[in-house]
Amino acid sequence: MRYAHLVHVVGIILIALAVALGFTALVAWYLGDGDAPAFVITALAGAVIGWVAYWRTQLTRDLSVREGYAVVTLAWLGVGLLGALPYLLT
């Protein structure tokens, strides 16, 4: 199993989640919700972690089925942890 490939794909997923959290922060800020800073911090943390994971690794060929299962497992774990961060910050 090529762990660098797993990290690369999970990094892309975390970047996508950071973009979604950025939109959530914009909506929270527009509505005057006090939780906007928590979403901004979470979006920045996800973007930094995702970008470092994406930038430091390289996807040279397609993933195998076994690696695909590992990506799904790691992505669920990463998205769950990153998605829980705004709740912990507020």
Side-chain angles (χ1 to χ4, degrees):
M1 186 177 304
R2 298 161 296 199
Y3 296 105
H5 290 180
L6 304 178
V7 172
H8 186 82
V9 175
V10 172
I12 293 170
I13 293 169
L14 290 180
I15 291 170
L17 179 62
V19 170
L21 285 167
F23 287 128
T24 305
L26 287 175
V27 171
W29 174 76
Y30 177 75
L31 295 176
D33 190 8
D35 296 335
F39 287 113
V40 170
I41 292 169
T42 304
L44 290 174
V48 168
I49 293 169
W51 180 252
V52 168
Y54 175 78
W55 179 64
R56 299 282 295 171
T57 58
Q58 185 176 0
L59 189 63
T60 56
R61 58 185 166 145
D62 290 339
L63 297 174
S64 68
V65 173
R66 183 176 178 192
E67 290 168 338
Y69 282 119
V71 163
V72 169
T73 302
L74 292 174
W76 272 104
L77 183 63
V79 167
L81 291 173
L82 195 62
L85 193 56
Y87 294 107
L88 295 173
L89 295 175
T90 56

